[in-house]
Amino acid sequence: MRNWDRSRELFEDASRYIPGGVNSPARAFGSVPMHPVFMERGRGAYMYDVDGNGYIDYVLSWGPLVLGHAHRDVVAAIQSRVRLGTGFGTPTELETELARTIIDAIPSVEQVRLVNSGTEATMSALRLARAYTGRERIVKFDGCYHGHVDPLLIKAGSGALTHGEPTSPGVPDAVAATTRSCPYNDIEAIEALFAAEGEQIAAVIVEPVAGNMGCIPPQPGFLEALRSVTERHGALLIFDEVMSGFRVAWGGAQILYGVTPDLTCLGKVIGGGLPVGAFGGKREIMQLLSPAGAVYQAGTLSGNPLAVVAGHETLAALSEPGVYEQLSERSERLSWGILRAAENAGVPIYATQVGSMFTTFFSEQPVTDLTSAQACDTERFGRFFVELLRRGVYIAPSQFESGFLSTAHGEGEIEQTVAAAEEAFRSL
Ligand SMILES: *Cc1c(COP(=O)(O)O)cnc(C)c1O
């Protein structure tokens, strides 16, 4: 029987010094009847906590670790780089290489700027879109999460949703008033919004595969409709691919679905586990950025060589032929396996999967937007989480998060996970 005594002690200690005991709310076990587990190390598909328990990991640092923990080439690249110094505050050749790799993979990105997080990427993309269009309003979708940017913390997903504050206090009314939020996958709602105030809308920002209210794929025609309505009204379309970029396909969701945005935000996978974000798009728009143009955006540690080399090495491994096919195929097998396990145990679930993103929703109905996601039995999900944890499987501690697979997850891990899931479903 597993125990988590040391984790409990560490959490009590952390809570004295750090608000809620965590440095990011999604790490708290908000909807789970337990304290967070403190991890110590990871290798491949596994991570190990401070009490010596091992887990097959489907959180993967919330998406970045697409090659699994402590991948040999990534570790070696960081090690050889760190000996040369940790950064210079000058341009380095590596930054151009990472930029070129991103641009080669994503045709809509003609120029790109590196930042340190997904939040910085979306924040900067909004400023740029507003400057380019000379308009102020921003449209997002209920349950999508784009980082903790003031105008985007309206009906937000991820931790904001889990902890019951999807619209954050502290955002000035004047800022919140510039944001509109529509239901995901609802073409009529967005058309109606544009019909009413299209002239004032600078941009629509969307997760082309929603991953922060659980994994919810775009329904056929949804992304195309966003492309068309923004074009007709002179607004920009921003794909927030911080999660989906280089995760659901080489490049990202825009390659998978063949819809071309004006601006793209990246993060997570492109940093290979270290802090990297990026935003890019049409040259004409990107040229507005300082020092080429007047829109200010900067970062002391942007393009940090250690982070960039980790990202570069990760993308190099992902560019090998067949990597994404295998990731998708294994993810599909896992998703089907969990669905069958639930059926065998008589527990109704709704399973989603796009590439190596997946979610097990405790719902009898299809989950296509925030309303249907919120109708899930989150209390039952919480118990399922703990039952999996007991059996050495670590999924995100919230119904409103996506699961991730890495290239280190083999057939054995998938079989083990499906078996653990069936036991967990039976014990609910
Ligand atoms: C994680 C995430 C962000 C925020 O990235 P951070 O690096 O946590 O700031 C933004 N958008 C999406 C879609 C994300 O999944």
Side-chain angles (χ1 to χ4, degrees), residues 47-72:
M47 58 181 181
Y48 302 87
D49 71 17
V50 290
D51 288 285
N53 306 302
Y55 308 91
I56 304 175
D57 181 14
Y58 292 100
V59 177
L60 297 169
S61 193
W62 299 93
L65 301 179
V66 67
L67 305 178
H69 291 271
H71 186 273
R72 197 190 47 198

Side-chain angles (χ1 to χ4, degrees), residues 250-273:
W250 176 249
Q254 57 193 277
I255 310 295
L256 193 63
Y257 296 106
V259 177
T260 306
D262 300 297
L263 291 172
T264 298
C265 300
L266 296 166
K268 297 194 170 120
V269 167
I270 65 158

Side-chain angles (χ1 to χ4, degrees), residues 85-258:
T86 52
F88 314 101
T90 70
T92 56
E93 187 178 355
L94 281 170
E95 293 161 71
T96 310
E97 281 178 26
L98 184 58
R100 193 185 297 127
T101 304
I102 291 169
I103 287 165
D104 285 348
I106 310 178
S108 75
V109 176
E110 295 171 356
Q111 288 204 314
V112 64
R113 178 159 282 176
L114 301 181
V115 293
N116 302 289
S117 70
T119 295
E120 277 185 66
T122 57
M123 177 184 76
S124 307
L126 289 196
R127 186 180 306 135
L128 193 53
R130 285 167 158 165
Y132 180 78
T133 58
R135 302 170 176 181
E136 282 199 353
R137 288 196 191 158
I138 297 295
V139 181
K140 70 178 290 290
F141 294 91
D142 306 346
C144 282
Y145 177 69
H146 304 290
H148 58 104
V149 182
D150 275 355
L152 296 176
L153 282 178
I154 312 294
K155 297 191 185 175
S158 187
L161 183 55
T162 307
H163 297 281
E165 296 284 2
T167 300
S168 177
V171 175
D173 290 343
V175 171
T178 64
T179 305
R180 300 287 181 272
S181 193
C182 287
Y184 197 75
N185 275 327
D186 188 338
I187 296 175
E188 274 173 35
I190 190 91
E191 287 281 1
L193 179 66
F194 267 91
E197 43 188 282
E199 260 90 278
Q200 287 151 284
I201 297 171
V204 170
I205 184 166
V206 66
E207 290 180 66
V209 177
N212 285 291
M213 46 182 160
C215 171
I216 300 182
Q219 287 184 348
F222 177 60
L223 298 176
E224 290 82 352
L226 298 185
R227 179 64 284 179
S228 142
V229 77
T230 46
E231 227 156 48
R232 276 184 274 129
H233 292 268
L236 298 186
L237 179 60
I238 305 173
F239 274 8
D240 178 356
E241 299 228 42
V242 171
M243 187 183 287
S244 59
F246 293 94
R247 164 59 71 187
V248 297
W250 176 249
Q254 57 193 277
I255 310 295
L256 193 63
Y257 296 106

Side-chain angles (χ1 to χ4, degrees), residues 334-417:
L334 175 67
S335 199
W336 275 109
I338 292 175
L339 188 61
R340 219 170 316 113
E343 277 167 11
N344 292 345
V347 174
I349 64 157
Y350 182 75
T352 58
Q353 177 251 330
V354 180
S356 55
M357 290 169 61
F358 65 94
T359 296
T360 305
F361 287 106
F362 282 80
S363 169
E364 298 187 37
Q365 307 301 326
V367 176
T368 58
D369 58 12
L370 180 60
T371 307
S372 45
Q374 282 183 308
C376 288
D377 188 340
T378 52
E379 188 271 333
R380 202 171 204 194
F381 171 87
R383 283 186 285 128
F384 178 66
F385 171 87
V386 174
E387 291 303 328
L388 280 182
L389 199 68
R390 286 206 173 110
R391 291 168 176 83
V393 174
Y394 193 93
I395 61 170
S398 166
Q399 177 71 93
F400 307 123
E401 301 286 356
S402 180
F404 303 103
L405 216 77
S406 81
T407 53
H409 288 70
E411 304 296 334
E413 281 78 29
I414 288 168
E415 273 172 36
Q416 219 176 307
T417 303

